[in-house]
Amino acid sequence: MAALAARYLERGAATWSPRTLALYRDLVTRDLAGLGTTKAAHVTTADVSALVATYAKKRARGHQVRRSLSALFNFAADEGLRPHGENPTAGVKPFREKKTERYLQTVEVARLLAALATAERTGLPPAPSRARARVTGATAKHRPPSADVPVPADPVAVAIIRFALLTGFRRAEVLTLMWAEADAEAGVVRQRAKGLDVAGHVSGEALAVLVGVPRIVRSPFDFPSLADPMKPPHRGRRRAARTARPRRRAGPAASSASLRAGSRAPPPSGRT
């Protein structure tokens, strides 16, 4: 299996995107290690079922493992290592999923926009899960007076959240958006992500967000990385964007998918 997986990754490297290649390499090296010493022709449905069952608490990962194994055994059949039509993953039932939809309500959108304005102007206190514990006792004097003072959020990180909220663009579409893909006069922005490449109209408020972002010379990105303006944002501004989020309230937590759905959601009808 290990040699088969290596050949599979080598073939995929010619056509897959870097992100897909990294995902499959991670699956092969970490998740499929249990089958590494087994020959592809000897792997049974029971072996695959036992491996997938270990992801009962990480079902999304379990689905990825099952799909990658299915593709790997199809490749093994093409290589003549297994008969066609005898994929051991065929008899493995996927985990049952409960599909839910989460839309931001009007009051939540207003609260989010207010929190963004506060974060940009004066800053927000860190979320409880990210706040540093207060030191007491002999070492308390070493705590700087400014430790609990909010710091204004990175305005570009705030702009990222605002733009996602106003357009419904996916996270990857926002983070990789380039100046050449936005036409302020026509009110059109091109979307590129997951095979999608279309030009769509956006609101004047969304365009105003783009126009208000300081443009870095020679950087092609609307929201460039702090470390390297020639690349889209990675950890720096994503961390700043987390700081700009409002504190979590009771009820289901909002995510980037909630922002995307909320911008296209129907008028509030009490649905949560």
Side-chain angles (χ1 to χ4, degrees):
M1 286 294 293
L4 174 67
R7 293 203 302 273
Y8 179 61
L9 292 175
E10 183 180 356
R11 189 197 68 171
T15 56
W16 296 340
S17 68
R19 184 173 182 177
T20 299
L21 180 61
L23 172 62
Y24 272 87
R25 182 177 287 118
D26 184 56
L27 287 166
V28 167
T29 56
R30 282 202 312 164
D31 302 274
L32 309 186
L35 302 176
T37 58
T38 307
K39 291 186 176 181
H42 298 162
V43 177
T44 65
T45 298
D47 295 329
V48 177
S49 181
L51 176 62
V52 174
T54 60
Y55 294 91
K57 294 184 178 180
K58 298 180 179 180
R59 298 191 174 189
R61 188 71 173 184
H63 286 306
Q64 290 179 334
V65 170
R66 181 178 174 275
R67 286 194 298 267
S68 62
L69 276 176
S70 178
L72 186 59
F73 284 116
N74 287 336
F75 175 72
D78 294 339
E79 294 286 295
L81 301 178
R82 289 186 69 98
H84 282 281
E86 294 187 8
N87 194 317
T89 63
V92 179
K93 295 183 178 180
F95 293 114
R96 182 178 298 177
E97 291 184 313
K98 181 180 179 182
K99 295 184 178 181
T100 59
E101 291 182 339
R102 171 75 165 93
Y103 296 115
L104 289 179
Q105 301 299 307
T106 303
V107 63
E108 293 176 307
V109 172
R111 192 164 64 226
L112 174 58
L113 291 174
L116 290 175
T118 302
E120 190 174 23
R121 184 173 59 255
T122 60
L124 294 173
S129 61
R130 297 181 180 276
R132 292 184 178 181
R134 181 178 292 277
V135 180
T136 59
T139 60
K141 62 182 181 180
H142 300 296
R143 184 177 178 85
S146 61
D148 297 318
V149 178
V151 178
D154 176 12
V156 177
V158 174
I160 290 173
I161 301 176
R162 280 202 184 106
F163 188 79
L165 178 63
L166 294 170
T167 62
F169 279 27
R170 292 178 174 86
R171 180 174 60 181
E173 295 169 346
V174 177
L175 297 180
T176 59
L177 185 63
M178 297 184 178
W179 290 107
E181 298 167 342
D183 187 342
E185 293 184 2
V188 173
V189 176
R190 182 171 295 279
Q191 291 177 266
R192 295 181 301 101
K194 295 186 177 181
L196 181 68
D197 189 356
V198 297
H201 290 274
V202 298
S203 66
E205 292 84 354
L207 289 174
V209 172
L210 290 182
V211 173
V213 175
R215 186 166 184 174
I216 298 178
V217 179
R218 294 189 300 277
S219 176
F221 296 100
D222 290 70
F223 309 109
S225 168
L226 288 171
D228 185 355
M230 300 306 294
K231 296 181 180 180
H234 187 48
R235 293 185 179 180
R237 278 191 167 136
R238 291 182 185 182
R239 185 180 299 113
R242 286 197 299 264
T243 304
R245 291 177 184 170
R247 289 185 175 183
R248 183 175 296 179
R249 307 278 179 147
S255 64
S256 58
S258 302
L259 298 183
R260 180 163 58 88
S263 66
R264 299 172 180 172
S269 59
R271 183 180 182 181
T272 56

